[in-house]
Amino acid sequence: MNLTLDNPPAVAAPFGDRFAHVARLDLPGGALLVLAGQVAVDDAGHLVGPGDIVAQSERIFEIVGGVLSAHGAGLADVLHIRTFMTDLGDLPGYASVRRRLFTATPPPASTTVEVNRLFLPGALIEVEITAAVTGTGAAA
């Protein structure tokens, strides 16, 4: 086993070196990727889509897609999605984005939790991902 913590150069790390955006555990035949909680920010760390759950969800999955791609994976390789929302009333908007992006049956395992607030003011949602890279994948 080999564990790497990094911020892929192909994806902006708007919060600098405060945390690694992905932990990669290389195993025989592939790797397990654990992505840190992602919020809807642009490359400079400014909130995208204030008050708009669909815009924030779309941006988060753009970031997730970039991180996964940098490691030789994609959304089809997602095993589990953990979602933190400040208002479960926004679930239909988030679910519409997920249904569009995750078309396999069944979709990835999922946990959704309502929280009082997130670390970034105005963020409505934060998403953590666990994915599997089969074969060699891209080296971190």
Side-chain angles (χ1 to χ4, degrees), residues 76-99:
D77 299 306
V78 171
L79 303 172
H80 185 265
I81 302 169
R82 182 173 292 109
T83 306
F84 303 91
M85 301 180 73
T86 58
D87 182 355
L88 286 178
D90 287 334
L91 192 56
Y94 171 57
S96 71
V97 173
R98 285 208 22 197
R99 275 192 304 277

Side-chain angles (χ1 to χ4, degrees), residues 61 64 75-76 78 81 97-104 107-108 129:
F61 284 110
V64 165
L75 294 177
V78 171
I81 302 169
V97 173
R98 285 208 22 197
R99 275 192 304 277
R100 186 168 32 85
L101 296 174
F102 296 93
T103 58
I129 298 286

Side-chain angles (χ1 to χ4, degrees), residues 44-125:
H46 300 110
L47 184 67
V48 171
D52 185 341
I53 191 64
V54 171
Q56 287 192 21
S57 300
E58 289 172 341
R59 176 60 183 153
I60 287 169
F61 284 110
E62 286 174 14
I63 295 167
V64 165
V67 174
L68 292 174
S69 177
H71 286 270
L75 294 177
D77 299 306
V78 171
L79 303 172
H80 185 265
I81 302 169
R82 182 173 292 109
T83 306
F84 303 91
M85 301 180 73
T86 58
D87 182 355
L88 286 178
D90 287 334
L91 192 56
Y94 171 57
S96 71
V97 173
R98 285 208 22 197
R99 275 192 304 277
R100 186 168 32 85
L101 296 174
F102 296 93
T103 58
T105 302
S110 177
T111 303
T112 302
V113 179
E114 185 174 52
V115 295
N116 288 332
R117 63 186 172 135
L118 297 166
F119 83 97
L120 183 65
L124 304 173
I125 185 170

Side-chain angles (χ1 to χ4, degrees), residues 128-139:
E128 296 177 351
I129 298 286
T130 304
V133 180
T134 56
T136 57

Side-chain angles (χ1 to χ4, degrees), residues 1 7-8 102:
M1 283 192 308
N7 293 316
F102 296 93

